[in-house]
Amino acid sequence: MSIRLNRAQPYALGLFRIVIGFLFACHGAASLFGVLGGAMGGGTVPAGTWPGWYAAVIQLVGGTLVALGLGTRIAALVCSGSMAYAYFKVHQPESLFPLQNGGEASAVFCWAFLLLVFTGSGALGLDRLFSSRDSSGHAGEPAREKAPAVSV
């Protein structure tokens, strides 16, 4: 069974990346354009306001890049950092635990994006189209997934 699960790992990771990126981009779209319920129950974040507008831009652009699997590691690093900032600056001063301070989404997004920094895009990402070229610039076989360093 673990052999089958290991073979499916790049696809599960790719689906994870798509879902996390899409959900994050939806937060940005809601804040910037007032869609999907808008920012904090309605409306938009005023353009240029710190930190809300900048966070919304990171959410929309970074989430879209992650969902597409384009520049995944860099985009995920920026997204993770923005959520760490949001957690420690906005939520953590209210209370220590995420359930008490309303920071569950920030904490989960922060750790999910940090995971993608280390794992990459997995399958189904545009990153794989660009990594399928060999060093001479010719299209070759798609990049193969490396086995995990530690297998159980």
Side-chain angles (χ1 to χ4, degrees), residues 88-114:
F88 287 111
K89 190 70 173 175
V90 177
H91 299 288
Q92 197 273 331
E94 299 296 319
S95 177
L96 179 62
F97 296 107
L99 280 173
Q100 293 175 322
N101 64 28
E104 302 98 333
S106 296
V108 169
F109 275 126
C110 178
W111 286 103
F113 284 120
L114 189 61

Side-chain angles (χ1 to χ4, degrees), residues 19 23 43 52 60 73 122 151:
V19 170
L23 292 174
L60 181 62
R73 290 177 190 251
S151 60

Side-chain angles (χ1 to χ4, degrees), residues 91-138:
H91 299 288
Q92 197 273 331
E94 299 296 319
S95 177
L96 179 62
F97 296 107
L99 280 173
Q100 293 175 322
N101 64 28
E104 302 98 333
S106 296
V108 169
F109 275 126
C110 178
W111 286 103
F113 284 120
L114 189 61
L115 176 67
L116 290 171
V117 170
F118 289 97
T119 61
S121 63
L124 312 171
L126 293 179
D127 284 346
R128 294 177 66 96
L129 293 176
F130 298 113
S131 68
S132 67
R133 297 190 176 271
D134 61 16
S135 60
S136 63
H138 297 91

Side-chain angles (χ1 to χ4, degrees), residues 9-44:
Q9 184 178 11
Y11 300 100
L13 182 59
L15 291 173
F16 174 80
R17 172 189 47 77
I18 290 167
V19 170
I20 292 295
F22 174 73
L23 292 174
F24 203 59
C26 286
H27 277 277
S31 297
L32 291 174
F33 308 119
V35 297
L36 306 169
M40 294 184 235
T44 61

